Amino acid sequence: MTLPNRRRFLKASLQGLAVASLGQWSAPRAGETFTPLRDLAASKGIAFGFAVDPSRIRADVAYRDVVAKQANLLVPENALKWAEVHPDPDRYVFGPVDDLVAFARDHGQRTRGHTLCWHRAMPDWLGQVGRDRAEAVLTAHIRTVVGRYRGRMMSWDVVNEAIEPNDGQGGGLRDSFWYRMLGPRYLDIAYAAAHDADPQAVLCYNDYGLEADSPWSERKRGAVLDMLRGLRRRNVPVQAIGLQSHLRLGEAQRIGPGLTRFIHAARDMGLAVYVTELDVDDSAFDGRGDRDGAVADTYKRYLDLVLGTGAVSAVLTWGVWDPDTPHRIGATPQGAFAQRPLVFGREGALKPASWVVAHCLERALRVRTFGT
Ligand code: G3I
């Protein structure tokens, strides 16, 4: 069943908003009366999916059902981070991701890996590694983890969040553990190791704070592009940029030409462009109007812009549905808690953002770049 036309779409949303505010809206669960987002996306050459918790796919029928129906690309939210996949020097934990990869295969879905080199989610033992062993430890980790899933991860976030201009280091690089151990060449080492382990995987650089039209984001976008140009000049195998896309209410109108220029520059460098961790921090909602409508509006403004470039070939939200209790998400400032940041309501209930994202996918330009 196709989506209602625009007038009926808006009417349905307004009705939904009106009723939702009365708490009476028992929206059909996603996938029952709603064109699955994976189908709308695929019709434009775009992958749509979620960051998922593999243990919840095993344990929660409703979660499993929504993931299977709505997504054709999955990423484990935490299970491939060092602290979880490599908790001790001589111990790897692959069970949860093995299960996820098998689930995805059984449901016609692809998977992507997150993340091989990051300054967070590091196990305690890594802190004992000195400069003399750092390259060997990093290379062995990447070869082991990427090698295990060779041919089964369409892409990897090899390095995550390496740019932090406020750290005052050359090129705006973050003063992180790997930077202190190996200097800027840790990036070259990481991508080379990943490429050796799986030459077919699209190797991605993933970061946040690239979205808004603000001086800070413009500075960060410039540093990321300079870093990527340097890697490409050195023939380092980086083939995609991940826009984490942790958005905030109230900044929607500040997303504009700077982001479009950035996406075009990445495309012109031959990079695939992914939206990797999309969510909307609604903690700044002021109680006036409707929270769900404001979240939906932010999704609409952002997706209309990025999908309008015809260069974004994957959109993943950082979670499947709204949390049962308010929780901190990617963009929430210290102490703030998001209430309804995602595209689906609890248990996969439809909400205005669900329809808006479907509408944006339906209107998206067909993707022209490689590396979906
Ligand atoms: O699994 C342990 C559990 O055994 C333990 O009892 C519990 C309390 O200590 O911690 C659990 O691990 C937590 C893990 O999430 C799984 O829930 C970690 O403490 C917690 O730090 C971790 O937070 C994750 C965070 O990255 C750091 O890895 C968030 O769930 C995850 O959403 C967040 O995601 C990041 C992306 O990877 C990168 N971009 C930003 C984004 C948001 O911060």
Side-chain angles (χ1 to χ4, degrees):
M1 184 183 94
T2 55
L3 284 172
N5 64 34
R6 184 168 180 70
R7 184 174 50 74
R8 281 167 44 211
F9 154 75
L10 288 174
K11 182 166 176 289
S13 297
L14 289 174
Q15 276 172 343
L17 284 179
V19 172
S21 59
L22 303 175
Q24 296 159 0
W25 186 19
S26 54
R29 210 166 72 189
E32 289 172 359
T33 63
F34 178 79
T35 305
L37 298 183
R38 67 181 286 177
D39 297 341
L40 291 172
S43 70
K44 298 299 174 71
I46 298 168
F48 174 83
F50 306 118
V52 295
D53 174 353
S55 65
R56 200 159 173 197
I57 286 187
R58 261 200 320 277
D60 183 330
V61 174
Y63 185 86
R64 183 166 63 240
D65 181 42
V66 171
V67 169
K69 281 200 173 80
Q70 295 300 330
N72 57 20
L73 179 60
L74 304 179
V75 62
E77 184 174 359
N78 293 302
L80 278 173
K81 293 172 181 172
W82 276 68
E84 304 220 6
V85 75
H86 196 178
D88 302 303
D90 52 359
R91 183 164 71 97
Y92 287 90
V93 178
F94 289 122
V97 179
D98 290 354
D99 292 348
L100 177 65
V101 168
F103 174 87
R105 183 197 59 225
D106 295 346
H107 293 85
Q109 299 165 319
R110 294 185 293 176
T111 44
R112 70 183 310 268
H114 173 84
T115 178
L116 298 168
C117 191
W118 190 28
H119 62 282
R120 290 175 59 191
M122 299 173 71
D124 294 342
W125 67 267
L126 206 46
Q128 314 309 316
V129 171
R131 284 187 179 76
D132 58 328
R133 292 199 303 125
E135 179 169 351
V137 168
L138 177 60
T139 302
H141 174 87
I142 292 175
R143 283 184 176 158
T144 303
V145 176
V146 176
R148 184 179 184 89
Y149 300 108
R150 183 184 177 112
R152 295 184 291 168
M153 291 289 178
M154 56 80 66
S155 76
W156 279 96
D157 288 338
V158 176
V159 173
N160 192 45
E161 303 175 8
I163 294 292
E164 176 40 82
N166 294 338
D167 281 3
Q169 300 302 312
L173 285 171
R174 182 183 298 273
D175 185 15
S176 68
F177 170 79
W178 295 113
Y179 178 79
R180 289 193 299 277
M181 288 295 110
L182 298 166
R185 71 187 185 90
Y186 83 86
L187 291 126
D188 305 47
I189 292 164
Y191 283 95
H195 184 69
D196 289 348
D198 187 351
Q200 300 312 311
V202 176
L203 303 183
C204 182
Y205 172 73
N206 192 49
D207 213 334
Y208 65 88
L210 302 170
E211 300 81 15
D213 253 9
S214 67
W216 185 84
S217 287
E218 192 59 24
R219 185 176 168 211
K220 183 155 184 178
R221 285 192 288 266
V224 168
L225 287 176
D226 287 346
M227 178 196 70
L228 290 169
R229 289 190 185 102
L231 293 173
R232 302 276 286 188
R233 265 197 308 277
R234 299 196 295 276
N235 296 316
V236 173
V238 57
Q239 294 125 1
I241 175 72
L243 297 163
Q244 288 188 10
S245 309
H246 292 296
L247 310 177
R248 285 190 192 149
L249 276 195
E251 291 183 356
Q253 65 281 10
R254 290 176 48 202
I255 290 167
L259 177 57
T260 303
R261 284 194 301 273
F262 179 82
I263 293 173
H264 287 163
R267 177 200 58 195
D268 296 348
M269 230 187 276
L271 297 176
V273 182
Y274 303 150
V275 168
T276 52
E277 306 184 12
L278 182 60
D279 54 20
V280 175
D281 165 22
D282 61 356
S283 59
F285 178 64
D286 60 10
R288 285 177 299 163
D290 173 76
R291 178 188 293 272
D292 281 349
V295 169
D297 177 59
T298 305
Y299 275 113
K300 180 172 186 333
R301 292 168 184 248
Y302 188 73
L303 288 176
D304 275 348
L305 183 145
V306 298
L307 297 177
T309 65
V312 171
S313 56
V315 175
L316 297 108
T317 63
W318 203 243
V320 177
W321 64 50
D322 289 333
D324 296 333
T325 55
H327 76 154
R328 300 206 57 243
I329 61 173
T332 40
Q334 283 304 329
F337 288 84
Q339 297 198 20
R340 295 171 61 79
L342 290 169
V343 172
F344 294 109
R346 291 169 200 148
E347 299 295 306
L350 295 183
K351 57 190 250 193
S354 317
W355 294 100
V356 158
V357 171
H359 190 58
C360 290
L361 288 169
E362 207 189 14
R363 298 185 333 149
L365 283 180
R366 185 158 183 76
V367 170
R368 297 191 296 271
T369 55
F370 78 97
T372 53

